[in-house]
Amino acid sequence: MHLAYPAVLAALLFCTGLYGVLARRNAILVLMSVELMLNAVNLNLVAFDVWLRDTLHSGQALTLFTIAIAAAEIGIGLAIVLAVYRNRGSSDIDRLRDTSETDAADAEIDAADAADAEIDAASVSADAEPHGRAEPAGKSTNAGTTTNAEATS
């Protein structure tokens, strides 16, 4: 068997997969292109194993390991793509470059933090006694806190 035929076919498969990884926007098509590249490598491993007439068939054994790893990779990759699609509504890679939360969610978090800061500032100003007058110790509106006037009396 001539080594040129499977080598050329593997090169074409690898170039097709490389084009798919670089040019596609859909994450599932990118995963399929990666699988195409792995299959080109597997074809080369088996072709060189047959050409070298290896008695241990190490090329074929390595191909089996590569197939097992590719199956695990595609399972995990599809799970990630499905989770991203459920959260974002799209599997377009160009839209997923920034994996942080959206700006609207950040604005809501900042508004909630600002509201908490205003509430804390209002409670601090309510705890201070106007003009140094102190309430009796048992009649405080904030049961768990003591003011400076209560602490000194």
Side-chain angles (χ1 to χ4, degrees):
M1 175 174 123
H2 293 280
L3 187 61
Y5 299 127
V8 168
L9 180 61
L12 289 174
L13 280 174
F14 192 85
C15 289
T16 304
L18 185 64
Y19 172 75
V21 167
L22 296 176
R24 298 294 176 189
R25 291 187 209 162
N26 191 349
I28 295 175
L29 292 177
V30 170
L31 286 174
M32 289 174 58
S33 298
V34 169
E35 290 296 321
L36 203 59
M37 290 167 47
L38 286 173
N39 285 334
V41 170
N42 288 340
L43 182 61
N44 268 334
L45 285 172
V46 171
F48 277 97
D49 182 51
V50 169
W51 185 65
L52 293 174
R53 293 187 177 97
D54 186 16
T55 57
L56 295 176
H57 299 292
S58 56
Q60 293 178 16
L62 191 57
T63 298
L64 290 176
F65 282 116
T66 307
I67 290 171
I69 289 172
E73 175 257 335
I74 200 69
I76 292 171
L78 280 176
I80 291 171
V81 168
L82 285 175
V84 167
Y85 181 77
R86 286 182 183 165
N87 287 335
R88 299 282 178 122
S90 173
S91 64
D92 188 14
I93 292 177
D94 290 337
R95 292 184 185 173
L96 299 176
R97 292 196 190 274
D98 183 26
T99 58
S100 66
E101 294 295 322
T102 60
D103 293 336
D106 289 338
E108 289 176 8
I109 291 170
D110 291 340
D113 289 341
D116 288 341
E118 289 176 12
I119 291 171
D120 290 340
S123 65
V124 168
S125 64
D127 288 343
E129 298 84 35
H131 306 292
R133 295 185 343 225
E135 294 181 17
K139 305 253 179 167
S140 176
T141 56
N142 294 333
T145 60
T146 60
T147 59
N148 288 339
E150 292 173 354
T152 57
S153 56

